[in-house]
Amino acid sequence: MGTPHYAKEILYTLIQAEDMDVRLVLTQPDRPVGRKKVLTPPPVKTVAQEYHIEVLQPNRLSEEGIEAAIRKAAPDFIIVAAFGQILPKSILDIAPCINLHASLLPQYRGASPVQQSLLNGDEKTGVTSMLMEEGLDTGDILETIEFVIPKEMRLYALMQQLTDDACSVTLSTIRNFENITPKKQDESKATLCKKIKKSDGEINFEDAETIYNKYRAFEGWPGIFASNGTKFDEVSLIDTESKNSAYEIVAFEDESVIVGCLRGRLKIGKLQPASKKAMSAKAYCVGRGLKVGDRIV
């Protein structure tokens, strides 16, 4: 899901619960981070080490000794969150494996469910606890918790909300496991979402609502940008129906600029030309001698 914070918070919740005993944590190997490529542990490992819990970091779960280590821990449950690998049957057979997936399954199976709900302008999303099997997010549903998405909410705030919800549904599912009747997923309603690529952030000022939803979904990375690399920030939706020329500067408002799309208009507060610093939209336009009627890029 691209968010180690989600898994870290779920682990922390389990450690803090008085009726839980976390014996073993598996997470991804340490990875080089940033320009200097500093080898950095996943947040899950940092939390586990703080509480002196054994940590394993296999590249693949099929590596020698991994299955044996899990069996030795004799778990009642194996809790999986944002792990990024499909569990082999040999591990699924050890104990009930419960996955916390940040969508209302069977909607948005796969790698980017939170971004996908924002891209589609969904009214609601949620978290599903499910019993894992060998497929990708195809197991029986145990519990769900729903959340109505405010129209202005962006990725980080939605991710935090769903992380909080995932923490409470994790405890609820484990504590009530014996009384929950697993429900089969309705395959006819299943949808898949892919890993997000940098190129997904490119926009062409055709549809204002589509662009605004990309802005919400791609907060942090990849952001939204024109084909020449100019990035746009502090974006809000003015309307979804007006007809305009694409990229056209319609009006200035304080330090912002209103830009037309073939359908709808956007208010843009900041622009950042490729390899330059971000600046107010007005300063960007003044510096280039752009006025109402000109193209923004």
Side-chain angles (χ1 to χ4, degrees):
M1 217 147 59
T3 169
H5 173 71
Y6 179 80
K8 179 192 87 169
E9 290 299 315
I10 291 170
L11 173 60
Y12 184 71
T13 299
L14 289 167
I15 291 168
Q16 292 296 309
E18 287 181 9
D19 55 344
M20 308 281 162
D21 173 23
V22 181
R23 299 220 180 132
L24 177 66
V25 168
L26 281 90
T27 185
Q28 303 289 348
D30 296 2
R31 303 259 190 247
V33 169
R35 285 196 182 149
K36 295 191 173 166
K37 303 287 182 212
V38 179
L39 203 59
T40 307
V44 162
K45 177 182 178 180
T46 310
V47 171
Q49 286 181 329
E50 269 174 44
Y51 290 90
H52 310 293
I53 298 166
E54 184 186 354
V55 179
L56 297 174
Q57 296 176 273
N59 279 306
R60 309 255 18 115
L61 289 169
S62 53
E63 282 176 24
E64 197 176 330
I66 296 302
E67 184 195 332
I70 297 171
R71 284 190 186 279
K72 185 173 170 230
D76 296 315
F77 298 99
I78 296 171
I79 306 299
V80 182
F83 188 61
Q85 292 185 35
I86 287 181
L87 273 57
K89 189 167 185 325
S90 57
I91 289 173
L92 293 170
D93 288 344
I94 295 172
C97 296
I98 298 170
N99 183 23
L100 285 308
H101 188 73
S103 80
L104 298 171
L105 288 170
Q107 194 179 37
Y108 308 144
R109 294 171 178 172
S112 56
V114 186
Q115 289 96 329
Q116 204 61 54
S117 63
L118 290 169
L119 284 173
N120 289 347
D122 292 346
E123 284 180 15
K124 65 176 184 178
T125 184
V127 176
T128 305
S129 62
M130 65 159 216
L131 217 41
M132 294 178 76
E133 54 179 37
E134 287 179 274
L136 176 68
D137 302 327
T138 53
D140 290 356
I141 292 168
L142 297 167
E143 288 187 292
T144 56
I145 190 165
E146 288 190 358
F147 175 70
V148 175
I149 310 170
K151 280 278 177 234
E152 292 76 40
M153 188 174 258
R154 296 177 67 197
L155 179 65
Y156 291 170
L158 180 54
M159 201 60 241
Q160 186 57 58
Q161 174 68 46
L162 295 178
T163 299
D164 294 344
D165 289 346
C167 291
S168 45
V169 92
T170 301
L171 294 178
S172 163
T173 298
I174 295 170
R175 286 171 179 156
N176 301 317
F177 188 75
E178 295 305 320
N179 305 316
I180 295 171
T181 307
K183 280 201 314 279
K184 286 258 171 279
Q185 291 191 38
D186 182 347
E187 287 299 322
S188 69
K189 293 184 176 159
T191 54
L192 267 177
C193 53
K194 299 193 216 44
K195 219 170 172 178
I196 285 154
K197 308 188 297 290
K198 174 144 197 232
S199 57
D200 292 333
E202 188 174 323
I203 59 169
N204 54 15
F205 288 87
E206 283 184 4
D207 184 82
E209 191 168 15
T210 302
I211 292 168
Y212 181 61
N213 286 338
K214 278 192 173 194
Y215 170 69
R216 295 166 70 207
F218 296 155
E219 182 178 15
W221 187 89
I224 57 168
F225 48 87
S227 56
N228 70 354
T230 302
K231 292 180 183 169
F232 306 97
D233 203 359
E234 295 179 9
V235 177
S236 50
L237 188 60
I238 299 291
D239 77 87
T240 58
E241 295 302 329
S242 64
K243 301 280 188 280
N244 312 277
S245 298
Y247 301 92
E248 182 189 355
I249 297 171
V250 178
F252 290 95
E253 196 176 286
D254 300 325
E255 292 299 306
S256 302
V257 60
I258 312 290
V259 180
C261 304
L262 295 179
R263 183 173 167 177
R265 291 172 300 161
L266 295 163
K267 180 167 153 183
I268 297 172
K270 280 197 166 156
L271 285 97
Q272 183 174 4
S275 311
K276 299 228 167 80
K277 283 200 167 118
M279 61 189 85
S280 78
K282 186 179 179 184
Y284 170 91
C285 293
V286 168
R288 285 163 180 71
L290 299 174
K291 50 197 185 304
V292 170
D294 291 340
R295 282 172 60 104
I296 188 81
V297 288

